[in-house]
Amino acid sequence: MKALITGCGIGGPATAMALREAGIEAEIFEAYGATAEGVGSFLNVASNGLSALRVLDTHREVMAAGIPTPRMVMTSGSGKHLGEVANGLALDDGTVSHTILRSDLYRIVRDQATARGIKIRYGKRLVSLDDTGDQVVAHFADGTQATGDILISAEGVHSRTRTLLDPKAPAPRYSGLYSFGGITTFPGLTGEPGTYHMIFGKKAFFGYAVADSGEIWWFANLPREEGDVPADWRPLLVEAFRHDGNRTADLLRESPIGDGFPVYDLPSIPTWHKGRVVLTGDAAHATSPSAGQGASQAIEDAIVLARCLRDAPDHGAAFAAFENERRERAERVVSYSRTISNSKAAGPVGRVFRDLMMPLFLKKAASQESLSWLYRHHVSL
Ligand SMILES: Cc1cc2nc3c(=O)[nH]c(=O)nc-3n(C[C@H](O)[C@H](O)[C@H](O)COP(=O)(O)OP(=O)(O)OC[C@H]3O[C@@H](n4cnc5c(N)ncnc54)[C@H](O)[C@@H]3O)c2cc1C
């Protein structure tokens, strides 16, 4: 069997490596050029994601490039301590969740896939496909095409294949937030190692972790109308945090601020697979970044899909088994993350309610049992 994988983000290379372990040949087709590196901010690879990477023997490189972040401390903008919650649950060997630049995570999984002999074709944006019954043909924007036995879309939240499978599929939902992030040195903010400091400010949300090097890995979520993009974000960000009782506004005044990106997630879509084509990762179940699970869920998908393709009698049975094993969990993550995102974009009344209720919510969430569905989930090949 030969699999065409569209999208060389995080899930694409992970899927190709998992398929290879399962004895299935795969080739990756990425819309952008090989140099599309350094894009994006950082993201969380939770302990369950590292457990999945361990199956692919790629976890060590990822951990070495990131910083351990097993704990989250929440405060309000006025400095009120709202509570603490674990960011992941340690694996049996003590591995904890790590934060890593998305570009580093991308580079590692892509290079590992290449080192294992997987071919990646760049500048190949899928625009249409033909499922002939016996095979699937992918057509690319540059006029070329590729033929395989199955096609796996790992095209991310704005997947073209998703609309080709089901033109009526719900569109991604804007969360109401623009996200920013960077790594900087700024002595005005301190923190304990391994801890995300999450600040639910008066007008916007700010999170940061302090690395052993002393650098601050920060991100900010700003409530904003979709598409309302100013020439310069800095004054808006500084204004949004100016009234909070901390130095976040000063950091934003002094540090490089990249382009903000609008945060989306995906409502439950009816069709995960049709004929010889299947959706994985964000293409099937994009989550907002608030739960820190997008990459981890895509990597879990990769391993489960490869196992199903290896063990099921045919691709149809494999895709059905994959959806059966993955849909409920992935959609639960989307809805959990959405709840967190909504509390970041709270209005004045919601904010008062949030600051009153969050300590109770966090107390409940702090127990290991309430987090185990998310973090004590181990996929195998
Ligand atoms: C540039 C970028 C920056 C990001 N930055 C962050 C971040 O800072 N924080 C965070 O939490 N999450 C970020 N994400 C999202 C995060 O990477 C994903 O949620 C997660 O890794 C799930 O991975 P995925 O492989 O399903 O999708 P993605 O990692 O989004 O990868 C999808 C890939 O498919 C390619 N593609 C899209 N359409 C086509 C097509 N028609 N044909 C061929 N290829 C196609 C894209 O170029 C991309 O490389 C970012 C995603 C991207 C693409």
Side-chain angles (χ1 to χ4, degrees), residues 7 9-11 29-32 41-42 102 124 126 154-156 282 289:
I10 309 304
F29 299 87
E30 163 60 37
Y32 289 95
S41 177
F42 50 81
R102 185 202 179 264
K124 299 286 175 192
L126 178 130
E155 294 160 21
D282 278 9

Side-chain angles (χ1 to χ4, degrees), residues 68-84:
T69 38
R71 189 167 160 253
M72 288 189 270
V73 175
M74 323 291 199
T75 54
S76 71
S78 62
K80 181 183 166 197
H81 181 81
L82 299 173
E84 291 186 29

Side-chain angles (χ1 to χ4, degrees), residues 15 18-20 22 24 301-311 322 381:
T15 305
L19 288 177
R20 195 175 177 83
I24 297 167
D301 274 2
I303 288 154
V304 174
L305 180 59
R307 168 164 39 77
C308 292
L309 282 163
R310 183 194 60 197
D311 295 346
F322 166 70
L381 243 176

Side-chain angles (χ1 to χ4, degrees), residues 5-13 29-32 36 39-44 100-103 105-106 123-127 140 153-161 179 181 261 280-290 292-299 301:
I5 299 175
T6 43
C8 187
I10 309 304
F29 299 87
E30 163 60 37
Y32 289 95
V39 195
S41 177
F42 50 81
L43 48 72
N44 185 51
I100 180 169
L101 279 171
R102 185 202 179 264
S103 50
L105 178 60
Y106 160 64
K124 299 286 175 192
R125 175 176 295 279
L126 178 130
V127 286
F140 303 108
S153 165
E155 294 160 21
V157 62
H158 299 293
S159 166
R160 167 87 180 136
T161 297
S179 189
F261 67 88
T280 64
D282 278 9
H285 48 69
T287 168
S288 65
S290 294
Q293 281 287 329
S296 299
Q297 292 303 311
I299 300 160
D301 274 2

